[in-house]
Amino acid sequence: MRHVAIVGSGPAGYYTAEALQKKLGDDVRVDIIDRLPVPYGLIRFGVAPDHQSIKAVSRRYEGVALSDSVRFVGNVNVGPDISIAELLDLYDTVVLATGAPNDRALTIPGADLPGVIGSAAFVGWYNGHPDFADLDPPLSGASAAIIGNGNVALDVARILAKTGAEFGGSDIVGHALTALQDSNIRHISILGRRGPHQIAMTPKELGELGHLANAAPRVDPTDFPPEGDDALLEPGMRKSVTHLRNFAADPVAKPKTIDFDFFAMPIAIEGDGRAERVVIERTRLDDALRSVGTGETYTIDASLVVTCIGYQTPPIEGVPYEHGRGRFANDEGRILPHLYCVGWARRGPTGTIGTNRPDGYDVAEQIASEPAVPPHPGREALDRLLAARNANIVTFRDWQRIEAAEIANARAGAPREKFTDIAAMLAALDR
Ligand SMILES: Cc1cc2nc3c(=O)[nH]c(=O)nc-3n(C[C@H](O)[C@H](O)[C@H](O)COP(=O)(O)OP(=O)(O)OC[C@H]3O[C@@H](n4cnc5c(N)ncnc54)[C@H](O)[C@@H]3O)c2cc1C
């Protein structure tokens, strides 16, 4: 029997458990440990609340979670509650699937002013992550700037632009819905250092901006390279660029605007004790398609600045770390003997939910071919150690009770009203 601990219950953690189960069948016991009492990582706390069909992938993980060989151990923070060295004493193999929950820092003057918020925090706020429920982002000004040219920037722009009615059927948390309905933000600028051919935005998410009730995208037609160059793009990118070209060719007047500000490099954020404006340097592309400052600067108003410029994995004591790339140091997922990583903790914050599947299957393959080691005690020993530390473990059945309470609390038309603090989640278990 092999005992495996997976730290993190997001897609990478569950795909790894699924792969181990398929590969080793009854010969493996997997504990999926998460610091929160609720599973699924960014499927619950990252994927946009108005994209419920994407969140539905978690149903697939339920099948894995409810099998005898796999267990969810929620509300246990690896690091403070139990160390990696302790886990390696208890399990034959430990897999880190801790994701990349920390915002990459914006390092320009004024980036620390109130009103400048990383997307992990902003997205966590509207998705009810307990770490960010109290964020209270400033929405009373007229203008917001979003820094970054990926899908997260699009999510943030769309959420800021939607009307209350457009959140029907979503699971946006009540505190965010109320705040967004009262928001004064009318002008949203999405800032990208390079041009329309260098975006990392997918067609579906871009296309959605063309169908908002009260807001319309605006793109400067002079930002595009010659139309013939689109033929050189891969098909998905070509579709995205076609959306941008359509927005540029056919501007629509609506009360709120979403401006795509290309060739725009923020160089400072200014304001009297809080963010009020962003100073931007105009850029151009060099021969290697890198952005180069032109020296020309201009300023836009923004009392809310959301940075969507990537994420990092927090280091864990005792685990080698690659500082430049903000992830665990690893070779094809292998960190040290019997210690692996998968998902965003392995690759950094790129790709979709499905990109994490091959990671998990590959690492499961490596684990299965590891030479046998003297048996480790596994889950019973974990339970004894955590009980001695008065840990309040949440099981998968407990999570299902939390979920049932969230469904029961839903406002009309919504799938659930999430608990936004850990105490409320545990109180729903009434124990
Ligand atoms: C804003 C946003 C929107 C996205 N939207 C989409 C989308 O629409 N479609 C799509 O395909 N992909 C989307 N993605 C990408 C997708 O969410 C990721 O590819 C995926 O979640 C990465 O999986 P992961 O398991 O590596 O990390 P995560 O999903 O982040 O899971 C990590 C888990 O580890 C736990 N954890 C962390 N540290 C510890 C610790 N010390 N101890 C115990 N547990 C710990 C966390 O609580 C979490 O549950 C989005 C990402 C973001 C940021």
Side-chain angles (χ1 to χ4, degrees):
M1 177 66 65
R2 276 174 201 260
H3 295 283
V4 180
I6 296 176
V7 185
S9 68
Y14 269 106
Y15 284 128
T16 307
E18 179 186 271
L20 285 167
Q21 213 178 30
K22 284 194 180 157
K23 185 84 196 164
L24 297 170
D26 287 340
D27 292 334
V28 69
R29 291 284 173 276
V30 181
D31 281 352
I32 302 182
I33 302 170
D34 204 287
R35 74 182 188 91
L36 295 173
V38 293
Y40 307 141
L42 286 174
I43 295 197
R44 178 177 166 105
F45 294 117
V47 171
D50 55 345
H51 286 171
Q52 287 298 311
S53 60
I54 295 171
K55 288 183 186 275
V57 69
S58 60
R59 294 288 162 223
R60 172 184 173 142
Y61 308 145
E62 229 165 60
V64 177
L66 289 170
S67 65
D68 288 341
S69 53
V70 177
R71 202 171 68 136
F72 174 68
V73 184
N75 204 29
V76 174
N77 196 355
V78 171
D81 295 342
I82 183 168
S83 70
I84 293 292
E86 286 170 323
L87 283 179
L88 284 166
D89 279 345
L90 298 180
Y91 292 86
D92 301 342
T93 307
V94 176
V95 181
L96 301 178
T98 48
N102 290 1
D103 280 298
R104 200 159 73 78
L106 179 71
T107 51
I108 60 174
D112 53 351
L113 282 171
V116 183
I117 296 174
S119 62
F122 190 76
V123 170
W125 169 73
Y126 64 63
N127 268 324
H129 193 296
D131 289 355
F132 306 111
D134 297 332
L135 184 72
D136 195 18
L139 302 174
S140 57
S143 304
I146 299 170
I147 301 177
N149 260 187
N151 277 344
V152 177
L154 289 181
D155 278 354
V156 171
R158 192 181 67 254
I159 297 292
L160 284 172
K162 276 194 164 181
T163 61
E166 286 177 291
F167 286 111
S170 82
D171 67 353
I172 190 165
V173 290
H175 64 231
L177 182 59
T178 307
L180 288 164
Q181 278 174 323
D182 293 342
S183 162
N184 287 328
I185 290 174
R186 295 287 169 271
H187 309 292
I188 300 162
S189 298
I190 301 179
L191 309 177
R193 282 190 299 187
R194 300 194 292 161
H197 272 203
Q198 284 76 43
I199 55 172
M201 298 169 167
T202 45
K204 176 180 167 288
E205 281 70 19
L206 257 177
E208 276 179 89
L209 292 193
H211 302 285
L212 296 174
N214 241 355
R218 295 195 303 198
V219 182
D220 182 343
T222 64
D223 280 342
F224 290 92
E227 198 158 347
D229 290 6
D230 292 6
L232 303 171
L233 300 171
E234 60 86 17
M237 259 298 280
R238 203 178 316 139
K239 278 191 198 159
S240 291
V241 171
T242 301
H243 280 303
L244 289 173
R245 286 195 188 275
N246 292 340
F247 297 156
D250 189 15
V252 179
K254 291 192 180 169
K256 294 186 190 179
T257 53
I258 302 172
D259 283 309
F260 283 83
D261 199 350
F262 290 114
F263 305 107
M265 176 166 62
I267 54 172
I269 298 167
E270 296 178 344
D272 187 7
R274 60 184 176 84
E276 291 174 16
R277 57 197 167 269
V278 184
V279 184
I280 296 167
E281 181 173 2
R282 186 57 74 207
T283 64
R284 60 172 180 80
L285 294 182
D286 69 9
D287 291 343
L289 300 179
R290 286 178 303 232
S291 63
V292 186
T294 62
E296 177 195 341
T297 60
Y298 61 102
T299 299
I300 60 166
D301 289 340
S303 47
L304 170 67
V305 179
V306 184
T307 63
C308 307
I309 55 172
Y311 302 98
Q312 296 183 321
T313 299
I316 299 183
E317 201 188 320
V319 182
Y321 190 77
E322 202 178 335
H323 281 276
R325 303 178 79 165
R327 62 183 195 190
F328 296 122
N330 74 93
D331 177 17
E332 304 288 317
R334 193 168 175 279
I335 305 177
L336 291 170
H338 315 296
L339 181 63
Y340 294 85
C341 57
V342 290
W344 279 17
R346 167 184 177 173
R347 307 188 316 274
T350 57
T352 62
I353 293 165
T355 318
N356 301 296
R357 189 171 181 273
D359 264 24
Y361 275 69
D362 175 47
V363 160
E365 202 64 49
Q366 294 186 52
I367 293 171
S369 57
E370 271 185 351
V373 288
H376 287 67
R379 54 178 61 163
E380 285 76 22
L382 177 77
D383 289 351
R384 276 196 300 277
L385 190 146
L386 291 175
R389 290 178 187 173
N390 294 321
N392 192 354
I393 291 177
V394 172
T395 66
F396 199 80
R397 296 280 176 205
D398 291 335
W399 146 243
Q400 288 182 311
R401 288 168 60 208
I402 295 173
E403 187 182 35
E406 291 185 337
I407 292 169
N409 289 345
R411 60 184 175 271
R416 64 188 66 78
E417 183 63 51
K418 291 178 190 169
F419 293 113
T420 60
D421 73 81
I422 290 176
M425 293 172 187
L426 299 178
L429 297 174
D430 194 22
R431 59 183 193 196

